[in-house]
Amino acid sequence: MTDCLFCRIAAGEIPTDFVYEDDDVVAFRDINPQASVHILVVPRRHVPDLTAAAEDSDLIGRVVSAVAKVAADQGVDRSGYRSVVNTGPDAQQSVQHLHVHVIGGRQMDWPPG
Ligand code: DGP
């Protein structure tokens, strides 16, 4: 059994409601939401971060496709949404498995903190 939290969620070992899933990607609500819509889009296959995923254009494409579907399903594709990939310590990546935050449902500020 892996000790990677998002591998375990994707494999169904930790009961989690998926708002979207396909053969390669799952999406579920962030446990600490920063807006009314805050979904994490996660590849099933373990990839530690965006840098590690950069050479797998198929995987990146499937994740981005899922982000767009989730945004539409959540009703924020027209109003807008922020997609965030934190990579490494300075960005405060806390789970070492690639994930895209899809955040929407409110006006946001820029630049981020
Ligand atoms: P990041 O800082 O970019 O690595 O974001 C990790 C996110 O994962 C953070 O916003 C909280 C979320 N998270 C951590 N543990 C769990 C969990 O067990 N379930 C869910 N749904 N989200 C989690």
Side-chain angles (χ1 to χ4, degrees):
M1 184 191 292
T2 176
D3 61 0
C4 170
L5 174 63
F6 285 178
C7 281
R8 297 188 65 202
I9 288 176
E13 293 174 11
I14 298 173
T16 302
D17 289 332
F18 295 149
V19 300
Y20 173 82
E21 65 177 312
D22 62 29
D23 287 348
D24 304 298
V25 177
V26 299
F28 50 89
R29 290 189 173 78
D30 194 290
I31 202 169
N32 183 25
Q34 301 302 310
S36 57
V37 174
H38 189 166
I39 308 293
L40 301 174
V41 175
V42 177
R44 291 184 188 272
R45 181 164 73 77
H46 184 78
V47 183
D49 59 24
L50 189 67
T51 305
E55 291 181 4
D56 190 340
S57 56
D58 283 350
L59 180 71
I60 296 292
R62 291 192 291 271
V63 169
V64 171
S65 176
V67 165
K69 287 175 184 163
V70 165
D73 289 348
Q74 296 292 318
V76 295
D77 53 329
R78 295 176 68 85
S79 55
Y81 60 95
R82 185 163 291 169
S83 42
V84 175
V85 182
N86 294 321
T87 306
D90 277 2
Q92 296 199 22
Q93 181 181 4
S94 61
V95 177
Q96 310 309 312
H97 180 129
L98 176 66
H99 51 282
V100 181
H101 298 255
V102 178
I103 304 169
R106 65 169 170 83
Q107 182 66 55
M108 280 170 256
D109 297 325
W110 191 263

